[in-house]
Amino acid sequence: GTRGWAVACGTGAHVRRGMSALDVGLEGLLHGSQKLLASISDEGGLPPIVHSYAQIDADARARTSSSASFAADAHTNNFLATHGIDSAAIDPNMFELSATGGGLEDAAAPDVWDGDVEKLLQAEQQFVLVQAVQHAKHLVRHDFDATYWSAFASNWQLQKPKLIEQICAPPPPPVMPPVQSAAAAVTGVSDPLSRIRSARHTAYARVFDEILSGRAGSSGDLYDRLARAASGLEGGSVLDGAAAKLHASWQLLSVMSASAAELRRPGGRIAELRASEQAYQSRDPSLRLSLLRGALRHLGAQQLNALMRDVSDARVDAQLGGQKGTEYVSAAMLRLERPMQPSAPAAEAGVTVVQLPQTADVQPLWPLVYWCVRSGDFPAALRTVELAPTEVPCKKLVSLLRLRAAHAMNSATSDDAMKTAILDARDEYWQQNIGHEPLQLLYAVLAAPEPSKQLKELLPTRPLTIEDWLWFQLSMVGAMLVAPQVTSRESKGDALSALQKKLADEYGEAFFAKVPLVYFSVLLHLQQFETAVAYLYGTGVWAMEALHFGLALQHEGMLACGSARYADGPLLDSSAPEAPRLLLEAMLERSLPEWVKEEPAGALKYVWLLRAPPQAKEALISTLLLSAGQASALLQRITFIPEQSKRRLLTHAAVALKAQGLPTQAAKLLFEAEQYDGLAQLLLEELSSRLLQGGASPEEAARAKQLRTDAAAFFAQWASKAPAEAQQHGGDLQRLLAIADFLEYAAGWRVSQAQPSGIGAGALEAMLRALSEPPLSTLLPSRMTQVEETQASFRHDLKAEVQRVVPLLIEAAVETLHSKYVLLKRARSVGGYGGNELQQLRAQAEAVVAFAGLSLWIVAEELGQMQLTTTTSQRIASWLADMA
């Protein structure tokens, strides 16, 4: 017993580690154990415990009620909750807590262990469970945070281009209060607050509208106007971000287009280019060289503007002064890059220096010439070389520079002279073994002696931009296009094609994934217009920009296009890799549906800008309008579509609407197109179907009556405007209208017979008169001798739409004759049944029945609904028998 007690005490002390320390120390516990052992040893055994079953039961109930009656107050629960402990899960017997005065009696009271090991283990288990729950909560919170921020980062990458475009886009122009002019109302200037298009796209649309309306001649070339639209209406503010890149791309195309104007428009014509006059030939060497020189001129202008900005930002150090000329700006830039040199010759041996007029310092010659050439100002570079105090050794290079300066000043220079000068400069380069880096760079860009040379080798200390790379590569390509390099191995294509392949192989779309507008600009510089537009459209966020670039390029004769239209798939037809073609029509078909729903007339202008046959444009317009449910837009005044094309569009849309079960809308389009014969046929079919339906609801009956009214009004207008055409093509419609009117009279007669006050004999006289006059008199015989003639006319002259309703006419006609017969029979007091009028009515009825018996069965197999029903036949037989 002593050993068991000691073990139990040791186990309890071990289990309760981490909880509050017991008041009894280890020495006190040992002393107490020794006293207990001595007491047990003296007495020799424990005293017996005598309890009856009733006492044990009462004691258990008392302890249970004491435990159940324990209830922690609010302060206790709050205290436990702040430490992450669930008070409902704790056994109240494990702690001696009392709630007096609204708080704990003694929060620091020591734990008194009662010797129950099971309770201690249960408390420890509850503590571990609480810690596990807290750890699980921490893990859940951490996983949620990680998932949330990961999704946020992914969405941010998708939304960032759109946000950047919105931030960089120029604000829309202020809306002015003046009343819109009549011309603007006709042309349909787009609303800046468009749901589909941005303010920049709306400005583009106004430029295209000027082209269609013929008001574009006084506003500069198309690219220049679109560049101003991309930069906003003011055009003079400083641009940055996407707006600046788009503005620069339009300006690049403007310069390239002007450089090749004579080749694109022979004779200097400024009128709109016809698609069949001067188709774009991307492989033409002269055109490629002219466009390339335009791109270099644009890069030079960009560099000169950058130099001017740098010099303006550091006026004191640049010491530009009031001199004008690129050479002075270049000298100012050199002052910013290196210390000013004294008037004496440069300290460096072998470095030629020059002193510009009205300046106090000297500058190294070839770096100064480089900046002039880099800025695209060859005359300034030549003026700088001519200021050299001694004759420079590179005479061939100077001769080539002189030719380039003459060409830049529009002086007459032959291609042969330029080729000879380039070849001589290459020979000079290899003979003199040029080691000076600026001079090597000039040889590279003017004569391209080493096409594989890299710009970073020649300018190792200067930070280079994509524009620098383009200028360097295009300059060498320009020299090689004039004087191709002789290679030992066979190569496909010219130097420009090789550069295009180099860009695709070494860089490609992936290299410019984060800057799509930069890659688009690079492709434009390399004259890959089709690839550039297809790539920009594929980025998604710039799809509308690509559409405007494509339309402008094709309009100016700088885009090769294919006519295929695919609902999906690539927009670049690469069946001939050396000359890809852009599927511009397919691009329009994919881009315009939403815009057509918002503003149909504005979207149709883009289609009509296409350089394509009218039939192709009409087919695309029909597809867009019908898919968007906007065929009614053709009823508007559209001035840019010729009248003949508009009529074809209306007719095609009407046919499609008719096939879709929309005859009313189709009829409106046919009437607007003045396709009266087609409209007459449409009305004929609709009237015939409505008459055969019969027994319709009041709403259907009202629509059928309105259809008859509209058809009658149309035929009257047609007959007054073109009587011969109406008589030739509208005869069946006139007959069907007469049948419809007669059937309506007959239906009214039947209704009146059920009423006390019938419509009287006057109505019957009108119906009989209608039967005796054209056109009904030509449909039904009035006597037996006319039956065969009427049958022949029925078979050969009447259209199926009229033949189908003849059974209804026969029944109504026989009923009318019988009704008149009955009235006459009742009214006659003399003459019996042998009166002449009664005999005529019976003879006419017999002729009608004879006509029906022969004619209807002849065409029954063809028309399907020609046979009289059994009930109708019985009624006709009854009426005829009554007239015997």
Side-chain angles (χ1 to χ4, degrees):
T2 304
R3 182 177 179 85
W5 175 255
V7 172
C9 292
T11 303
H14 176 71
V15 172
R16 293 296 300 269
R17 72 179 183 276
M19 302 179 64
S20 60
L22 299 175
D23 288 341
V24 181
L26 293 176
E27 294 181 358
L29 181 60
L30 180 61
H31 180 69
S33 300
Q34 291 175 349
K35 290 177 63 177
L36 179 61
L37 178 61
S39 174
I40 294 174
S41 301
D42 293 341
E43 297 180 1
L46 293 174
I49 299 177
V50 181
H51 284 289
S52 65
Y53 289 111
Q55 289 175 334
I56 294 174
D57 179 71
D59 184 67
R61 290 179 182 275
R63 291 180 178 275
T64 303
S65 62
S66 175
S67 300
S69 62
F70 176 81
D73 63 357
H75 290 277
T76 303
N77 290 328
N78 184 43
F79 174 80
L80 295 175
T82 56
H83 289 78
I85 300 176
D86 186 4
S87 60
I90 298 177
D91 186 356
N93 293 325
M94 291 302 300
F95 305 94
E96 294 182 359
L97 303 174
S98 61
T100 59
L104 293 175
E105 181 176 280
D106 186 5
D111 292 336
V112 179
W113 181 54
D114 59 358
D116 193 338
V117 177
E118 294 298 331
K119 291 180 180 180
L120 246 121
L121 293 175
Q122 185 178 6
E124 183 69 15
Q125 182 182 15
Q126 290 175 351
F127 178 76
V128 172
L129 289 175
V130 169
Q131 293 297 323
V133 171
Q134 292 298 323
H135 182 63
K137 289 181 179 179
H138 175 74
L139 292 178
V140 170
R141 188 183 303 111
H142 179 269
D143 291 344
F144 173 78
D145 291 342
T147 304
Y148 173 80
W149 288 111
S150 176
F152 177 84
S154 301
N155 292 333
W156 168 246
Q157 294 299 326
L158 296 176
Q159 297 296 331
K160 182 167 62 174
K162 299 180 180 178
L163 294 175
I164 292 175
E165 182 186 11
Q166 294 175 1
I167 293 173
C168 297
V175 180
M176 303 302 292
V179 179
Q180 186 182 18
S181 64
V186 171
T187 55
V189 175
S190 302
D191 183 5
L193 301 178
S194 171
R195 180 176 57 88
I196 306 299
R197 296 164 295 137
S198 66
R200 182 168 58 248
H201 301 152
T202 306
Y204 290 157
R206 284 194 287 269
V207 175
F208 288 154
D209 183 73
E210 291 177 357
I211 295 175
L212 289 174
S213 60
R215 295 180 286 110
S218 60
S219 303
D221 72 290
L222 175 61
Y223 296 128
D224 186 56
R225 293 197 302 277
L226 291 172
R228 293 198 298 270
S231 62
L233 295 182
E234 296 298 329
S237 57
V238 178
L239 300 176
D240 55 3
K245 293 182 176 64
L246 292 171
H247 180 263
S249 296
W250 287 118
Q251 285 187 323
L252 166 65
L253 292 176
S254 177
V255 178
M256 294 175 72
S257 174
S259 179
E262 287 296 328
L263 296 174
R264 292 187 307 106
R265 292 176 175 171
R269 293 193 304 271
I270 62 173
E272 179 182 348
L273 198 70
R274 301 295 178 187
S276 59
E277 276 186 345
Q278 187 70 21
Y280 175 65
Q281 300 293 333
S282 60
R283 309 305 298 176
D284 182 69
S286 300
L287 179 60
R288 288 161 71 87
L289 182 60
S290 298
L291 292 173
L292 184 142
R293 288 172 175 170
L296 288 172
R297 189 176 299 117
H298 172 73
L299 290 170
Q302 279 187 322
Q303 182 61 58
L304 182 58
N305 292 334
L307 291 180
M308 293 294 295
R309 286 195 301 269
D310 293 341
V311 169
S312 299
D313 293 340
R315 293 179 179 272
V316 177
D317 296 334
Q319 297 292 320
L320 178 60
Q323 295 85 0
K324 301 294 183 181
T326 305
E327 59 268 36
Y328 290 97
V329 178
S330 301
M333 187 63 191
L334 290 177
R335 295 188 189 101
L336 297 178
E337 292 182 343
R338 58 196 302 274
M340 293 182 61
Q341 295 289 343
S343 299
E348 301 180 26
V351 176
T352 306
V353 296
V354 294
Q355 183 175 3
L356 298 177
Q358 302 178 4
T359 59
D361 59 344
V362 296
Q363 299 294 341
L365 173 62
W366 299 120
L368 192 59
V369 173
Y370 158 74
W371 277 119
C372 293
V373 173
R374 177 64 182 88
S375 300
D377 195 342
F378 290 96
L382 182 61
R383 292 194 298 268
T384 303
V385 172
E386 291 175 345
L387 292 175
T390 59
E391 185 177 10
V392 294
C394 45
K395 297 179 181 180
K396 301 300 182 180
L397 180 66
V398 175
S399 299
L400 176 58
L401 187 62
R402 184 171 288 106
L403 278 178
R404 294 295 302 269
H407 184 271
M409 298 175 66
N410 298 322
S411 299
T413 55
S414 65
D415 293 339
D416 292 337
M418 187 72 69
K419 179 178 180 179
T420 302
I422 292 174
L423 294 176
D424 291 342
R426 288 178 188 168
D427 294 339
E428 184 180 64
Y429 173 83
W430 292 112
Q431 291 173 2
Q432 294 191 8
N433 192 18
I434 305 298
H436 190 44
E437 289 178 351
L439 192 54
Q440 283 185 340
L441 182 56
L442 289 173
Y443 271 104
V445 297
L446 292 176
E450 294 183 88
S452 61
K453 204 76 171 179
Q454 298 296 322
L455 181 59
K456 60 185 177 182
E457 300 176 14
L458 304 175
L459 294 175
T461 60
R462 187 185 305 280
L464 303 177
T465 64
I466 187 66
E467 287 79 10
D468 294 329
W469 182 86
L470 283 171
W471 170 80
F472 180 72
Q473 296 292 336
L474 290 178
S475 296
M476 290 195 298
V477 167
M480 287 187 288
L481 288 179
V482 176
Q485 291 276 7
V486 179
T487 56
S488 57
R489 57 186 179 86
E490 184 179 357
S491 60
K492 296 182 179 180
D494 53 17
L496 182 58
S497 300
L499 180 58
Q500 294 171 353
K501 187 177 185 303
K502 177 181 179 181
L503 176 69
D505 295 343
E506 297 184 8
Y507 301 97
E509 297 180 11
F511 184 81
F512 298 92
K514 296 183 179 180
V515 283
L517 289 179
V518 174
Y519 187 51
F520 172 72
S521 175
V522 171
L523 292 173
L524 292 182
H525 280 86
L526 269 58
Q527 303 180 32
Q528 295 178 277
F529 304 121
E530 299 81 12
T531 305
V533 175
Y535 164 76
L536 192 63
Y537 187 88
T539 60
V541 67
W542 303 110
M544 285 299 290
E545 296 291 340
L547 182 65
H548 290 90
F549 274 100
L551 285 171
L553 282 164
Q554 192 203 33
H555 183 271
E556 292 300 297
M558 295 172 60
L559 194 70
C561 294
S563 58
R565 287 165 48 192
Y566 303 118
D568 51 11
L571 290 173
L572 201 63
D573 180 7
S574 300
S575 55
E578 68 280 358
R581 306 177 73 85
L582 181 70
L583 304 181
L584 189 56
E585 294 180 28
M587 184 183 296
L588 284 170
E589 187 173 357
R590 300 180 194 181
S591 305
L592 296 183
E594 290 300 322
W595 187 9
V596 170
K597 295 178 182 178
E598 181 184 81
E599 188 193 358
L604 297 188
K605 294 176 184 177
Y606 281 46
V607 179
W608 210 252
L609 275 172
L610 283 173
R611 291 192 179 279
Q615 292 76 10
K617 293 188 284 189
E618 292 165 11
L620 180 55
I621 288 177
S622 297
T623 301
L624 291 172
L625 291 178
L626 293 173
S627 62
Q630 294 290 334
S632 59
L634 294 172
L635 300 175
Q636 303 175 10
R637 184 183 179 188
I638 303 177
T639 58
F640 55 87
I641 298 181
E643 193 64 28
Q644 188 176 5
S645 293
K646 185 176 180 181
R647 289 182 179 180
R648 287 196 295 264
L649 284 170
L650 287 166
T651 304
H652 184 273
V655 173
L657 290 176
K658 178 184 174 183
Q660 295 174 10
L662 301 172
T664 304
Q665 293 85 334
K668 292 179 180 178
L669 298 182
L670 288 173
F671 183 79
E672 182 69 19
E674 298 184 358
Q675 297 292 329
Y676 294 146
D677 51 347
L679 177 56
Q681 179 63 30
L682 175 62
L683 294 174
L684 194 68
E685 296 173 2
E686 289 301 310
L687 278 174
S688 179
S689 299
R690 296 291 176 88
L691 290 175
L692 290 174
Q693 288 176 1
S697 62
E699 294 79 8
E700 288 292 334
R703 282 195 287 269
K705 185 175 182 180
Q706 184 62 44
L707 178 62
R708 292 199 306 273
T709 303
D710 294 340
F714 155 69
F715 184 80
Q717 181 177 351
W718 188 14
S720 63
K721 187 174 182 179
E725 184 182 1
Q727 184 65 28
Q728 181 181 0
H729 300 288
D732 287 292
L733 178 61
Q734 186 181 19
R735 297 183 188 97
L736 195 58
L737 286 171
I739 294 174
D741 292 339
F742 186 83
L743 294 178
E744 186 178 12
Y745 291 147
W749 163 258
R750 297 189 191 101
V751 174
S752 69
Q753 297 307 299
Q755 299 176 356
S757 60
I759 63 176
L764 280 177
E765 293 297 333
M767 295 167 65
L768 290 170
R769 189 165 50 252
L771 287 174
S772 62
E773 296 176 352
L776 295 185
S777 63
T778 63
L779 295 176
L780 298 176
S782 59
R783 53 185 181 272
M784 292 297 294
T785 56
Q786 297 177 348
V787 171
E788 292 186 4
E789 181 182 355
T790 308
Q791 289 173 352
S793 175
F794 175 86
R795 289 194 299 268
H796 301 298
D797 298 338
L798 297 184
K799 290 186 176 181
E801 291 78 12
V802 181
Q803 291 177 345
R804 280 198 296 263
V805 299
V806 168
L808 302 177
L809 175 62
I810 291 174
E811 180 183 5
V814 175
E815 183 181 10
T816 300
L817 295 173
H818 174 263
S819 300
K820 178 62 176 177
Y821 186 93
V822 172
L823 287 177
L824 287 177
K825 183 178 178 181
R826 291 175 184 175
R828 283 183 179 274
S829 58
V830 292
Y833 298 100
N836 293 332
E837 192 171 359
L838 292 176
Q839 291 178 1
Q840 292 176 359
L841 290 173
R842 175 176 173 78
Q844 186 174 358
E846 289 176 345
V848 172
V849 173
F851 165 77
L854 294 175
S855 300
L856 300 187
W857 271 259
I858 292 175
V859 294
E861 295 182 358
E862 298 180 6
L863 303 179
Q865 300 179 355
M866 288 300 303
Q867 295 183 359
L868 298 173
T869 63
T870 303
T871 305
T872 301
S873 300
Q874 291 175 352
R875 281 199 300 266
I876 291 178
S878 174
W879 291 329
L880 190 60
D882 195 25
M883 298 171 66

